[in-house]
Amino acid sequence: MNLTRAVKENKERKALNEAPSLESGASPIGAGLKTASKAVLTLEAINYDVPVPFRQLRLLKDAYGYIKPETFTGLMGASGVGITMLLDVLASGKNIGIITGDKSVDSEPLSLSFQRSKSYAKQIDMYEPAQTIREALRIFADLRQPLDIPQEEK
């Protein structure tokens, strides 16, 4: 089955679609920002425990893994296995419970600036059907970044 969705083009979409691609070697907006990395993100024995009446409930148990630099990494699994929870833990998005284990970049503990600079598009059903991936990520960047950061850097 081939599905084609027609979306009315607006100024912003047109500009984004006409923007030079990174593959062509052209200089994108924000070219001065460091985007390439040779660092490896490593997770070792990540556990996440939350308090429930009279005990602690372990929601993540001994999660291990690594993410190589300059690769697109997908976390996949059946619904309810804890992928979103693991991403929340990695992005420091949990404000209740106890997180244990080691999260490191090149064997160094994650710094606060590293944690603040990383995010992901959460699994929610609030996306517009005609919204592009770029537009969804732009909305998350706008919401996560401080107001004083220029739109071009977000």
Side-chain angles (χ1 to χ4, degrees), residues 8-151:
K8 187 175 180 181
E9 189 167 64
N10 60 24
K11 279 184 172 182
E12 182 181 20
R13 259 197 203 102
K14 186 174 182 178
L16 289 171
N17 289 331
E18 291 175 353
S21 68
L22 295 175
E23 291 82 22
S24 68
S27 177
I29 294 173
L33 299 174
K34 181 180 176 186
T35 57
S37 175
K38 301 294 181 199
V40 176
L41 174 65
T42 306
L43 315 172
E44 296 184 28
I46 301 296
N47 295 297
Y48 177 50
D49 299 313
V50 295
V52 295
F54 308 111
R55 64 187 180 105
Q56 292 282 335
L57 178 63
R58 179 155 289 176
L59 298 178
L60 283 178
K61 181 179 179 184
D62 293 331
Y64 286 83
Y66 67 94
I67 299 174
K68 295 190 287 184
E70 299 181 5
T71 60
F72 185 83
T73 303
L75 297 175
M76 299 183 293
S79 179
V81 299
I83 294 168
T84 302
M85 189 175 313
L86 176 62
L87 290 172
D88 280 343
V89 166
L90 293 177
S92 299
K94 294 294 185 188
N95 56 6
I96 189 170
I98 300 169
I99 299 168
T100 58
D102 294 320
K103 301 178 285 184
S104 61
V105 174
D106 287 344
S107 301
E108 295 292 324
L110 296 186
S111 66
L112 187 58
S113 65
F114 177 88
Q115 292 175 345
R116 286 184 178 165
S117 68
K118 305 303 174 233
S119 187
Y120 67 98
K122 295 189 179 217
Q123 179 182 334
I124 57 175
D125 296 326
M126 293 176 24
Y127 298 108
E128 291 292 321
Q131 189 177 43
T132 65
I133 294 170
R134 183 187 306 247
E135 289 167 334
L137 291 174
R138 180 176 273 172
I139 289 169
F140 281 109
D142 285 341
L143 294 173
R144 186 172 174 97
Q145 300 289 325
L147 291 174
D148 60 334
I149 294 180
Q151 187 69 33

